[in-house]
Amino acid sequence: MDLELTETQALVQKSARDFATRVIAPAAHETDEHERFPKEILKGLADLGLMAVNVPEELGGAGAGVVAYALAMQEVSRACASTAVTMAVTNMVGEVIARFGTDEQRNKHCPKLASGEYVAGSFALSEPEAGSDPGGMRTTARRDGDAWVIDGAKQWITSGAYAGVIVVWARTGGPGTKGISCFLVEGGTPGLRVGKPEDKMGLRGSNTVPLELERCRVPASALLGEENGGFKIAMMALDGGRIGISSQAIGVARAALDESVQYAKDRKAFGKPIADFQAIQWKLANMKTELDAAHLLSMRAASLKERGLPFSREASMAKLFASETAVRVCNEAVQIHGGYGYIREFAAERHLRDARVTTIYEGTSEVQRIVIARSVIA
Ligand SMILES: Cc1cc2nc3c(=O)[nH]c(=O)nc-3n(C[C@H](O)[C@H](O)[C@H](O)COP(=O)(O)OP(=O)(O)OC[C@H]3O[C@@H](n4cnc5c(N)ncnc54)[C@H](O)[C@@H]3O)c2cc1C
């Protein structure tokens, strides 16, 4: 793996960093405090090509690859994790449609996701009683003439209230993972109801909603991929999504580390900066080392995916390690900030709240360990 960035990767990283520093970071506290969905900021990201980084240029994407996407996600997450998760899911939806869609589906949706004409895309796999085990889903789709009729409920759907297109999984065959298909449901389709946004611990500027589908009728052409072939699409999308979430975790934790270093230099106790105490120095050393290790794991997974090589285990390892590292690092950042770490005015407490979900969504840490262990034992 080449650790040097290509010109394109460095350019994407720089434009994401500039926009994140100039526009996203100054709004991050308000976004969190007032649960403000960052609509205008998302349009700015789209204008920079960051809502479809790894979507081919002929479909309106940046065509910049997986490593560039991971780097951009780190930069945006460093500024605002709420904005970053919205960006991550939209990128994932664009990639899924570009990869598995028909020409008609690709040409219809990808340019709108990339340009910001769709505020966001959504990925609706989880259900109230099926998260880690999507094979247990209850949502159904039945064929009715030249249409599919979808009935069921989805839970915790990121950007569900704003999505131009939602990738929805539903049961079309027998029980288990083999009878699941995947559909493209446009926002506003009759029969699709968006529930009340969740009141979350973190990512408070992102939109997380339950969806209800009641006799929701979509054309036959809304089927994505093969009938009963939807589970494979979900797993492949999640493998890629895990690279995005590892990047999110790294970005949030980097912000926590940077702020901790600054605080440790500024804050005095016993007549000297707390950065002079070895107890604080060791925390900072561990935070930096673990974060760099997480970054390398994430870059390895991204690089494998970019080169078309198997990357499922490596994406799980990156997501597992980066998310658990982020929680540890952000927790230490609160500790270094002392009492101020517990106060809203300082970003440290937001970082901890934002980081916490990264060990849960796109597959919990327990699920990542199952994926990794299976491939180690095989
Ligand atoms: C803010 C937020 C945004 C989200 N966005 C989306 C989205 O956009 N789209 C979407 O589809 N979903 C989304 N999710 C849902 C998320 O992916 C699920 O919450 C997650 O997959 C876990 O599922 P669950 O909550 O049902 O937990 P469960 O599956 O009920 O698990 C509960 C606990 O049991 C453990 N567990 C379960 N099975 C096993 C096992 N076999 N071995 C060991 N331990 C096990 C889990 O690891 C966990 O600790 C989001 C969630 C949140 C909180």
Side-chain angles (χ1 to χ4, degrees), residues 32 77 81 200-204 248-249 251-257 259-260 287 323-338 340-344 346-360:
D32 173 71
S77 306
K200 305 192 293 291
M201 172 195 278
L203 301 185
R204 292 184 66 80
Q248 183 192 29
V252 173
R254 274 206 188 133
L257 173 58
E259 286 150 21
S260 298
M287 289 157 84
S323 61
E324 296 200 341
T325 294
V327 173
R328 272 195 305 275
V329 166
C330 293
N331 198 34
E332 286 291 50
V334 169
Q335 192 68 19
I336 290 169
H337 281 74
Y340 291 112
Y342 202 65
I343 304 293
R344 287 267 152 122
F346 284 74
E349 68 86 36
R350 166 164 59 86
H351 298 321
L352 181 56
R353 288 186 288 106
D354 285 345
R356 189 61 191 84
V357 75
T358 61
T359 69
I360 296 172

Side-chain angles (χ1 to χ4, degrees), residues 137-152:
M137 78 171 55
R138 293 188 183 171
T139 297
T140 58
R142 74 182 157 78
R143 192 69 196 247
D144 182 21
D146 61 354
W148 288 95
V149 181
I150 310 176
D151 281 281

